[in-house]
């Protein structure tokens, strides 16, 4: 049991810590929102989506994405469109006005964007299937459940910590200049992933 829990912790951190669109967006919202509570929608959505992906991977449901090539291409296409749009919104965001009224990143937009960068990111899906899904096959019964729950808990704790770190970062930025720069960097990261996905999609179709 302990081995499975430690295995789950290592794998979860290995997948979630590297800089990616999801992490950038959670940190960004933690920094932009006037209070931590206002950033909870993105934290809860990201955590719920990761939980869904992990459970699907362990149960084998997400293998459908790998089984049907056309389904993978559809996910890629939708994901590219969403990422391009998210990048545009981030690039155009006025950091100071967003921190004051939260209009640009309302609860609805936080949920929509967090869900899209989590569930419409083929690499996140494939990583979850390939690493967590396949690793879970080494365990059975209660041990597999412990492994699964461990990866889920690590995921939630990471997003909470990321939003909290973003919140402190936002407090240090009284002028809004750092947040404006963070928005631009976030947009570039999002667009970079979109371009990479587009190249990958073109290779699949070709």
């Amino acid at each position: 049991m302990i081995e499975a829990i430690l295995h789950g912790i290592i794998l979860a951190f290995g997948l979630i810590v590297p800089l990616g669109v999801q992490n950038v967006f959670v940190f960004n919202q933690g920094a932009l929102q006037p209070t931590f509570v206002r950033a909870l929608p993105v934290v809860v959505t990201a955590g719920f989506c990761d939980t869904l992906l992990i459970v699907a991977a362990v149960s084998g449901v997400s293998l459908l994405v790998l089984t049907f090539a056309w389904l993978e291409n559809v996910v890629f296409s939708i994901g590219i469109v969403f990422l391009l749009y998210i990048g545009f919104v981030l690039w155009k965001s006025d950091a100071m006005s967003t921190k004051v009224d939260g209009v640009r990143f309302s609860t609805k937009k936080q949920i929509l964007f967090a869900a899209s960068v989590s569930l419409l990111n083929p690499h996140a899906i494939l990583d979850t299937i390939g690493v967590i899904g396949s690793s879970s096959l080494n365990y059975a019964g209660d041990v597999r459940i412990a492994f699964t729950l461990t990866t889920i808990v690590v995921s939630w704790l990471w997003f909470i910590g990321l939003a909290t770190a973003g919140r402190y970062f936002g407090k240090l930025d009284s002028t809004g200049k750092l947040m404006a720069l963070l928005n631009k960097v976030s947009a570039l990261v999002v667009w970079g992933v979109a371009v990479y996905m587009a190249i990958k999609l073109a290779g699949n179709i070709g």
Side-chain angles (χ1 to χ4, degrees):
M1 181 75 75
I2 295 178
E3 178 185 349
I5 292 175
L6 291 176
H7 189 192
I9 292 174
I10 294 172
L11 283 182
F13 271 114
L15 287 178
I16 201 172
V17 170
L19 180 65
V21 178
Q22 189 184 50
N23 283 343
V24 167
F25 190 66
V26 173
F27 181 86
N28 183 285
Q29 286 304 291
L32 285 173
Q33 296 300 330
T35 63
F36 179 79
V37 174
R38 293 285 293 276
L40 280 179
V42 71
V43 173
V44 173
T45 303
F48 177 78
C49 289
D50 265 26
T51 298
L52 186 63
L53 288 177
I54 291 171
V55 172
V58 172
S59 63
V61 174
S62 53
L63 286 175
L64 288 173
V65 177
L66 296 179
T67 304
F68 301 102
W70 65 268
L71 183 57
E72 182 179 348
N73 291 337
V74 169
V75 173
F76 264 85
S77 299
I78 296 175
I80 290 170
V81 173
F82 267 100
L83 290 178
L84 290 174
Y85 174 63
I86 291 171
F88 175 78
V89 172
L90 287 172
W91 186 269
K92 292 294 184 179
S93 294
D94 182 329
M96 288 305 292
S97 66
T98 303
K99 289 175 71 174
V100 173
D101 56 35
V103 172
R104 292 182 185 274
F105 292 90
S106 63
T107 298
K108 182 178 180 180
K109 280 191 174 182
Q110 285 188 60
I111 294 173
L112 175 62
F113 288 0
S116 65
V117 299
S118 302
L119 299 178
L120 296 178
N121 184 347
H123 296 291
I125 296 174
L126 296 177
D127 283 346
T128 304
I129 296 173
V131 180
I132 295 180
S134 60
S135 295
S136 69
L137 297 177
N138 295 317
Y139 310 107
D142 292 340
V143 179
R144 177 180 288 190
I145 292 176
F147 171 82
T148 304
L149 289 177
T150 299
T151 57
I152 291 173
V153 169
V154 169
S155 175
W156 278 86
L157 291 177
W158 173 257
F159 290 131
I160 292 172
L162 203 57
T164 302
R167 177 68 186 141
Y168 281 108
F169 179 86
K171 285 184 177 180
L172 295 175
D173 181 29
S174 59
T175 64
K177 292 182 178 179
L178 289 177
M179 284 314 307
L181 178 61
L182 178 61
N183 281 339
K184 297 294 189 292
V185 173
S186 299
L188 291 176
V189 171
V190 171
W191 283 334
V193 174
V195 170
Y196 179 80
M197 287 171 57
I199 295 174
K200 185 75 173 180
L201 176 62
N204 289 345
I205 295 177

